[in-house]
């Protein structure tokens, strides 16, 4: 599938919702009641056709309106969704010829009263779009959680399909390369819809390898049958499987929800790679269901090292589940997760295998057994903060290599560190550790911790007061740095 955006696009605003805003005083006086608004455009040109993209609510005062029928015909040809006509200052009433033209061509016509400014109408549409996008994002988030929960069930493939059918309120099926139905959920569609779905599946997963010179099959395809929207997606894994859907509508977030299901189903239907893969899959399911790390360590091989990677988009945009899956695949792991704007990937093996990825900033932990993954997670988080603060694409946790610190027994060093740092809360200790690690840079520490630089200054001043220490003294800084390191990672 093509790269998914960070979230679903903004849904269109139904015309009825705009008309319901009583403070605007808008009235539909011609044309159909139903229309979907994608944006607002204002123009006083005699023919705005060349500047329209389609889906606009076009606002005008009719400054150059000379031929209403041609004017409306051109708007319809350009794909405008509706026309808003301001009755001041050029016209006292909406011209009757314009009303007749809108009725004839099927274009909704709104009367904008003199006291309502066009900017107020535009602002209302943008606000409605933002509210609709927020609702759609919440719906996609709930769907993602439901699909992930279904994927952790003992029968994950049928469970994911059933949940997808519920979320999209339609028919879903998993088809083999020869058109056979492996699993299906939702109401059975009409025979012609089933035939169309099978045909669409062959477009994305034709069942025969592409010959030399032949274009590869698309990753997805769409169609419609009698008002039913049809979708087909090719699954990864080389099995020639396709996910097909038949839904009564095509909302903006449906493609994102289907994309999440495609990633899950691709992982669930991929061929197993022996006992190691089976053990990791079982461990993942148990962790999802709340098992403690020490309980799943035998399944993962507690002696084998693991690496945790934290990543954020370099351009600052949020990362979606498909972005996380793509990053995990690039790093060689199917174990990825998105927590707000941060992607976390769990890799088997040492961190030397991790390389910078275009468009991402990465923080990499040191190798750790599964029982120590919480500490590795903290290391990766700190490494990511260091990478962002120093504007480098990848930063790796570097543990102490011994030296003078190795001359002190670890238990005595840890006891001294905890006693020395006892007055500090965890946020203060983490701020002090980050500040010292970045050579006392206020700005870099603020970037790494995602707080204001004044917050860093206040916290460091508080640390100096609680510790009764001069933090400008290099001896004091050195002792605190060793103590913060010897104490080990704190919570979260």
């Amino acid at each position: 599938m093509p790269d998914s955006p960070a979230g679903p696009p903004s849904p269109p605003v139904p015309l009825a919702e705009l008309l319901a805003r009583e403070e605007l005083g808008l009235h539909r006086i011609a044309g159909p009641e139903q229309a979907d608004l994608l944006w607002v455009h204002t123009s006083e040109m005699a023919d705005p056709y060349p500047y329209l993209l389609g889906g606009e609510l076009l606002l005008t005062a009719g400054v150059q309106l000379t031929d209403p029928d041609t004017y409306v015909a051109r708007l319809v040809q350009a794909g405008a969704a509706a026309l808003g006509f301001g009755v001041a200052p050029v016209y006292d009433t909406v011209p009757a010829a314009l009303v007749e033209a809108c009725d004839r061509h099927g274009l909704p016509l709104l009367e904008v009263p003199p006291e309502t400014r066009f900017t107020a109408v535009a602002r209302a549409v943008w606000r409605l779009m933002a509210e609709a996008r927020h609702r759609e994002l919440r719906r996609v988030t709930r769907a993602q959680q439901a699909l992930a929960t279904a994927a952790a069930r003992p029968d994950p493939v049928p469970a994911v399909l059933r949940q997808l059918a519920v979320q999209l309120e339609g028919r879903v099926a998993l088809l083999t390369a020869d058109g056979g139905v492996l699993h299906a959920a939702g109401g059975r569609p009409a025979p012609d819809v089933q035939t169309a779905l099978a045909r669409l599946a062959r477009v994305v997963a034709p069942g025969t390898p592409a010959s030399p010179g032949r274009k590869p099959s698309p990753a997805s395809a769409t169609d419609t049958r009698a008002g039913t929207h049809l979708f087909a997606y090719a699954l990864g894994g080389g099995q020639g499987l396709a996910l097909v859907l038949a839904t009564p509508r095509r909302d903006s977030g449906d493609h994102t929800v289907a994309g999440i299901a495609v990633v899950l189903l691709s992982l669930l239907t991929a061929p197993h790679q022996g006992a190691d893969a089976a053990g990791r899959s079982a461990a993942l399911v148990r962790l999802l269901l709340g098992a403690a790390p020490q309980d799943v360590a035998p399944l993962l091989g507690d002696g084998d090292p693991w690496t945790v990677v934290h990543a954020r988009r370099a351009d600052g945009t949020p990362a979606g589940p498909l972005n996380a899956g793509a990053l995990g695949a690039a790093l060689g792991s199917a174990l990825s997760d998105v927590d707000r704007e941060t992607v976390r990937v769990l890799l088997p093996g040492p961190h030397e295998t991790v390389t910078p990825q275009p468009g991402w900033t990465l923080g990499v932990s040191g190798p750790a057994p599964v029982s120590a993954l919480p500490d590795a997670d903290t290391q990766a988080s700190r490494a990511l903060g260091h990478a962002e603060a120093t504007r480098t694409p990848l930063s790796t946790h570097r543990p102490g290599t011994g030296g003078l610190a190795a001359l002190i027994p670890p238990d005595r060093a840890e006891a001294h560190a905890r006693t020395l740092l006892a007055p500090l809360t965890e946020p203060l200790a983490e701020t002090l550790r980050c500040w010292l690690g970045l050579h006392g840079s206020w700005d870099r520490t603020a970037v790494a911790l995602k707080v204001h630089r004044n917050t860093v200054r206040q916290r460091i001043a508080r640390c100096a007061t609680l510790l009764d220490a001069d933090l400008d003294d290099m001896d004091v800084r050195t002792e605190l740095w060793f103590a913060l390191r010897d104490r080990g990672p704190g919570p979260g």
Side-chain angles (χ1 to χ4, degrees):
M1 290 190 327
D3 291 339
S4 174
S10 297
V13 174
L15 178 60
E17 290 190 13
L18 181 63
L19 293 175
R21 304 298 290 259
E22 296 181 358
E23 71 276 10
L24 297 177
L26 303 178
H27 299 285
R28 184 184 61 84
I29 58 176
E33 299 179 359
Q34 305 290 335
D36 289 330
L37 312 179
L38 295 178
W39 34 60
V40 179
H41 183 63
T42 301
S43 175
E44 297 301 337
M45 300 182 66
D47 181 16
Y49 175 94
Y51 303 95
L52 301 183
L53 298 174
E56 294 93 349
L57 166 62
L58 180 67
L59 300 175
T60 182
V63 174
Q64 298 191 56
L65 181 65
T66 57
D67 185 349
D69 189 76
T70 300
Y71 181 81
V72 173
R74 292 283 285 172
L75 294 185
V76 172
Q77 186 179 0
L83 175 63
F85 193 88
V87 295
V90 181
Y91 291 88
D92 293 332
T93 60
V94 180
L98 184 62
V99 175
E100 295 173 0
C102 287
D103 273 331
R104 184 163 51 253
H105 291 283
L107 180 68
L109 175 60
L110 312 183
E111 179 181 353
V112 183
E115 63 273 12
T116 300
R117 298 183 177 182
F118 285 177
T119 53
V121 177
R123 190 180 300 115
V125 172
W126 304 142
R127 186 177 296 113
L128 289 170
M129 291 179 69
E131 293 171 355
R133 177 171 172 79
H134 181 66
R135 289 194 301 269
E136 197 69 4
L137 285 172
R138 289 198 303 176
R139 182 177 80 91
V140 170
T141 300
R142 289 194 299 266
Q144 176 184 349
Q145 294 170 344
L147 290 170
T149 301
R153 294 178 59 86
D155 55 344
V157 173
V160 169
L161 291 176
R162 286 194 297 269
Q163 190 56 239
L164 183 61
V166 170
Q167 296 296 330
L168 300 186
E169 300 179 2
R171 169 76 169 184
V172 301
L174 191 60
L175 304 187
T176 62
D178 58 2
V181 179
L182 279 180
H183 301 283
R188 183 177 294 276
D192 62 325
V193 172
Q194 295 188 60
T195 302
L197 284 174
R199 186 182 305 114
L200 207 59
R202 289 194 294 272
V203 173
V204 299
T208 57
S211 58
R214 177 183 173 186
K215 291 184 179 180
S217 301
S220 62
T222 62
D223 197 0
T224 56
R225 280 292 184 278
T228 300
H229 299 280
L230 312 181
F231 306 82
Y233 300 90
L235 266 60
Q239 304 301 296
L241 302 179
L243 174 67
V244 296
L245 305 92
T247 62
R249 64 179 190 276
R250 183 177 292 173
D251 291 339
S252 58
D254 289 346
H255 180 69
T256 303
V257 174
I260 296 169
V262 168
V263 172
L264 289 172
L265 291 169
S266 296
L267 295 173
L268 293 170
T269 58
H272 292 290
Q273 300 175 2
D276 289 344
R280 291 172 185 172
S281 177
L284 175 61
V285 171
R286 294 188 191 183
L287 285 172
L288 286 171
L289 296 178
Q294 58 268 24
D295 295 333
V296 302
L299 293 172
L300 294 173
D302 197 33
D304 298 331
W306 289 79
T307 298
V308 179
V309 178
H310 281 212
R312 279 192 280 266
R313 299 291 292 268
D315 59 6
T317 59
L322 294 185
N323 301 127
L327 177 63
L331 295 175
S333 175
L335 305 180
S336 62
D337 179 40
V338 181
D339 182 11
R340 297 181 182 176
E341 74 275 14
T342 303
V343 174
R344 298 191 297 180
V345 181
L346 187 59
L347 301 174
H351 60 75
E352 284 81 4
T353 60
V354 180
T355 58
Q357 300 297 315
W360 292 91
T361 302
L362 306 180
V364 184
S365 76
V370 67
S371 55
L373 284 180
D375 288 348
D377 189 53
T378 301
Q379 293 173 4
S381 176
R382 291 174 175 174
L384 175 59
H386 185 274
E388 291 183 322
T390 56
R391 298 182 180 179
T392 56
L394 184 148
S395 179
T396 301
H397 171 76
R398 299 294 181 186
T401 57
L404 294 176
L407 300 177
I408 305 175
D411 55 343
R412 293 180 58 187
E414 182 176 354
H416 173 72
R418 294 198 176 277
T419 300
L420 178 63
L421 301 173
L424 303 184
T425 62
E426 181 57 37
L428 289 177
E430 177 63 13
T431 301
L432 180 58
R433 185 207 62 78
C434 186
W435 182 71
L436 290 173
L438 292 170
H439 310 291
S441 170
W442 307 108
D443 291 330
R444 288 185 173 185
T445 304
V447 171
L449 297 177
K450 294 191 175 299
V451 297
H452 195 275
R453 68 194 307 270
N454 289 342
T455 301
V456 176
R457 288 183 176 275
Q458 293 167 3
R459 289 181 181 177
I460 297 301
R462 182 63 175 161
C463 289
T465 300
L466 293 173
L467 296 173
D468 190 22
D470 180 6
L471 297 184
D472 291 328
D473 188 319
M474 182 54 66
D475 290 337
V476 173
R477 289 195 183 194
T478 301
E479 182 179 10
L480 289 173
W481 174 251
F482 277 115
L484 288 162
R485 191 194 67 174
D486 290 333
R487 191 192 59 157

